Amino acid sequence: AGVAPALRGAALAAAAATAALSSQRLAAAASPRAESGYYSSASSRQLTPVASRRGAHAHAERHAERQHAERVCARRAAVVTDALTPGGLPCHLTLGVSLGYLRRFVAEHGISERDQTASVVPIVQELTASTDRSLCEVHARAPGGRRDIGPATCFVSHAHRGCGFVALIDALELHMGMEGLPEASTRFWIDLFSIRQQHVESDVIHIGAIVRHIGRTVAVLEPWDRPVCLERVWCLYEIVHAHAD
């Protein structure tokens, strides 16, 4: 008769000990969170969420990122309006550069024979970042720039990777000599100079019309034994338009 009360007392004591242990474990589990800013204390009696500075800062960063993304989208949508050719082609896409301009560009920006066209693109992007215009447009508006910039007479199809930029210029000079093209009036349409780098997507949709408008396409086959441009879909797309024209 006296055993049952004793067992009940032992069970209650064990339950109390288990509850105390659980409370200690809860406090211990809360401790790392307290360090990370989620809770104000490791004590199980003070597990109150903190309106932490980190959370507020993260929210502000996300808000700033959204605002920046909205500004970028608005800027891309607000493409600079432009006059059109009789065929409906934006006039800025008809501009090209002279051979002399290309030579000076290489010298001014320290471009070496090892540099591919892909490594020149960031230079052009930086030069036009604040303008919403192509480099041809920027320089055509500069004092004395009009003699180097004018209506393109040769569309240049080339690969950005696998072809050196200096080798590209050498090939164009060789083409001029072989075809007897006068340097004074020859202007080359090269995508990184003629396309607005801030609105590439809206410019490249006119490639077919550009090729037809210019009427002459030069494909740079480099290296000669395995031309990279013949392995690039975009270059093949340009060549197909030239052939169709």
Side-chain angles (χ1 to χ4, degrees):
V3 173
L7 289 175
R8 283 197 298 272
L12 291 173
T18 301
L21 181 59
S22 298
S23 178
Q24 291 173 1
R25 288 177 176 171
L26 181 59
S31 181
R33 294 188 177 184
E35 293 176 2
S36 63
Y38 283 92
Y39 294 91
S40 62
S41 171
S43 170
S44 61
R45 291 174 296 179
Q46 298 177 1
L47 292 178
T48 50
V50 174
S52 68
R53 293 180 180 177
R54 293 184 186 179
H57 181 65
H59 176 74
E61 284 186 342
R62 288 194 297 271
H63 180 67
E65 288 174 358
R66 283 196 300 270
Q67 286 187 324
H68 175 70
E70 290 171 359
R71 285 195 298 269
V72 170
C73 289
R75 183 182 180 186
R76 288 179 177 174
V79 178
V80 178
T81 57
D82 201 349
L84 301 177
T85 66
L89 181 66
C91 288
H92 75 274
L93 291 175
T94 66
L95 297 176
V97 297
S98 69
L99 183 68
Y101 173 91
L102 293 171
R103 292 292 188 199
R104 285 190 295 275
F105 187 88
V106 167
E108 290 172 3
H109 297 282
I111 299 171
S112 71
E113 293 184 356
R114 298 188 302 274
D115 292 323
Q116 299 182 3
T117 303
S119 63
V120 180
V121 173
I123 298 174
V124 177
Q125 290 174 336
E126 183 178 354
L127 292 172
T128 59
S130 62
T131 67
D132 269 339
R133 297 190 178 275
S134 70
L135 196 56
C136 277
E137 293 176 278
V138 171
H139 286 175
R141 288 167 169 75
R146 291 188 180 275
R147 67 174 180 270
D148 289 322
I149 310 295
T153 58
C154 292
F155 180 96
V156 180
S157 180
H158 69 290
H160 280 203
R161 298 188 184 279
C163 179
F165 188 70
V166 174
L168 166 67
I169 298 173
D170 290 341
L172 296 179
E173 184 173 12
L174 181 62
H175 174 75
M176 289 176 61
M178 293 174 62
E179 298 295 322
L181 302 177
E183 185 172 344
S185 59
T186 301
R187 299 292 179 267
F188 295 105
W189 193 99
I190 301 177
D191 54 1
L192 68 159
F193 295 111
S194 300
I195 284 179
R196 291 172 176 171
Q197 295 301 306
Q198 288 73 37
H199 305 290
V200 173
E201 296 86 354
S202 60
D203 275 1
V204 295
I205 62 175
H206 299 288
I207 287 294
I210 295 169
V211 171
R212 291 191 297 273
H213 177 83
I214 296 173
R216 185 188 191 97
T217 296
V218 180
V220 180
L221 306 182
E222 174 72 16
W224 68 270
D225 56 342
R226 189 175 180 178
V228 177
C229 73
L230 299 184
E231 299 175 354
R232 298 290 186 269
V233 171
W234 194 253
C235 294
L236 294 175
Y237 176 78
E238 296 167 346
I239 294 170
V240 165
H241 275 288
H243 179 69
D245 183 59

